């Protein structure tokens, strides 16, 4: 896998420090509220696993896998729920955990869905933010790193389902995704 990486964007250590920092910010805002940490599969698996181990107060964890169908140049499409959580979120403080915020389409469709289910609040924690790529305004509450518009893989992020298990975030060589 390593030979396919053009450069390391974020080392394991840099990510680890940032995850602790994000956990502290979340603690400040959510301790005592028993928030639901909602991991959006598959990319957020590793980030969520690391983040929750830094949260030293009660919270619960659940999972969803979503995409947006019908999203095109002019439209943001509709939310497609591939796997749903089983938590009843009425009255709960929900924190969506995402590996990357890109066009914003996924979150712009997911947030209203969770609000319509009766969540008391819905916040967003993203590890990587690509502001340049935004098509729909989404304001994440907790952000790890703003990154350039490069093909990032590793630490949960994939290309064709590969590279998720790299322990760092790297930039994929152009020849890999252009061949
Ligand atoms: C990625 C990421 C977000 C979404 C962000 O998921 O985890 O869910 O894309 O993109 P957007 O802001 O343009 O909507 P992906 O659909 O690649 O699925 P995966 O997490 O299973 O890899």
């Amino acid at each position: 896998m390593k030979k396919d990486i053009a450069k390391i964007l974020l080392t394991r250590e840099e990510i680890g420090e940032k995850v602790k920092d994000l956990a502290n910010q979340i603690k400040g805002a959510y301790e005592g509220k028993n928030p639901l940490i909602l991991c959006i599969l598959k990319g957020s698996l590793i980030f969520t696993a690391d983040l929750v181990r830094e949260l030293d107060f009660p919270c619960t964890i659940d999972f969803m896998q979503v995409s947006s169908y019908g999203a095109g140049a002019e439209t943001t499409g509709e939310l497609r729920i591939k796997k749903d959580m089983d938590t009843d979120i009425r009255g709960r403080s929900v924190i969506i955990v995402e590996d990357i915020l890109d066009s914003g389409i996924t979150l712009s469709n997911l947030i209203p869905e969770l609000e319509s289910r009766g969540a008391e609040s819905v916040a967003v924690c993203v590890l990587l933010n690509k502001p340049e790529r935004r098509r729909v305004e989404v304001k994440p509450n907790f952000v790890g790193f703003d990154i350039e518009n490069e093909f990032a893989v590793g630490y949960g992020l994939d290309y064709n389902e590969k590279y998720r298990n790299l322990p760092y975030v790297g930039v994929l060589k152009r020849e890999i995704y252009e061949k």
Side-chain angles (χ1 to χ4, degrees):
M1 287 190 296
K2 239 173 160 179
K3 66 175 182 2
D4 299 344
I5 302 302
K7 66 172 179 193
I8 294 181
L9 206 56
L10 301 165
T11 64
R12 205 173 181 158
E13 291 72 28
E14 287 170 322
I15 298 169
E17 283 307 304
K18 188 64 82 175
V19 169
K20 280 187 191 151
D21 178 34
L22 290 168
N24 265 329
Q25 294 178 40
I26 292 173
K27 180 176 174 157
Y30 287 90
E31 187 168 22
K33 292 188 176 167
N34 185 30
L36 172 69
I37 306 297
L38 183 59
C39 170
I40 307 303
L41 297 169
K42 300 174 187 170
S44 304
L45 157 79
I46 293 169
F47 177 37
T48 306
D50 283 347
L51 184 70
V52 294
R53 281 179 292 179
E54 298 293 339
L55 295 176
D56 58 351
F57 62 90
C59 61
T60 59
I61 306 167
D62 212 334
F63 305 87
M64 276 182 100
Q65 189 173 15
V66 298
S67 64
S68 294
Y69 58 91
E74 307 282 317
T75 66
T76 56
E78 266 177 67
L79 187 70
R80 175 169 166 240
I81 300 174
K82 297 191 207 165
K83 289 192 182 83
D84 208 342
M85 63 178 140
D86 49 31
T87 306
D88 177 355
I89 60 171
R90 278 176 291 182
R92 296 290 303 275
S93 303
V94 180
I95 304 172
I96 300 171
V97 178
E98 270 286 26
D99 51 338
I100 189 161
L101 172 53
D102 193 333
S103 70
I105 291 174
T106 306
L107 285 172
S108 72
N109 288 323
L110 178 60
I111 293 167
E113 167 67 23
L114 302 182
E115 287 170 345
S116 77
R117 292 183 187 189
E120 184 192 274
S121 63
V122 180
V124 174
C125 175
V126 296
L127 182 68
L128 307 175
N129 181 32
K130 276 187 175 175
E132 235 182 273
R133 294 262 304 168
R134 205 75 87 249
R135 285 179 49 203
V136 192
E137 186 172 276
V138 173
K139 290 226 166 86
N141 307 69
F142 308 96
V143 179
F145 304 92
D146 282 348
I147 62 166
E148 307 280 310
N149 187 18
E150 294 179 297
F151 204 128
V153 294
Y155 199 73
L157 289 104
D158 74 312
Y159 169 61
N160 278 347
E161 296 299 326
K162 211 174 153 185
Y163 310 106
R164 293 194 198 273
N165 55 324
L166 282 174
Y168 53 81
V169 175
V171 176
L172 195 60
K173 284 185 180 164
R174 193 172 277 272
E175 69 209 51
I176 305 293
Y177 57 90
E178 281 185 350
K179 73 183 172 195

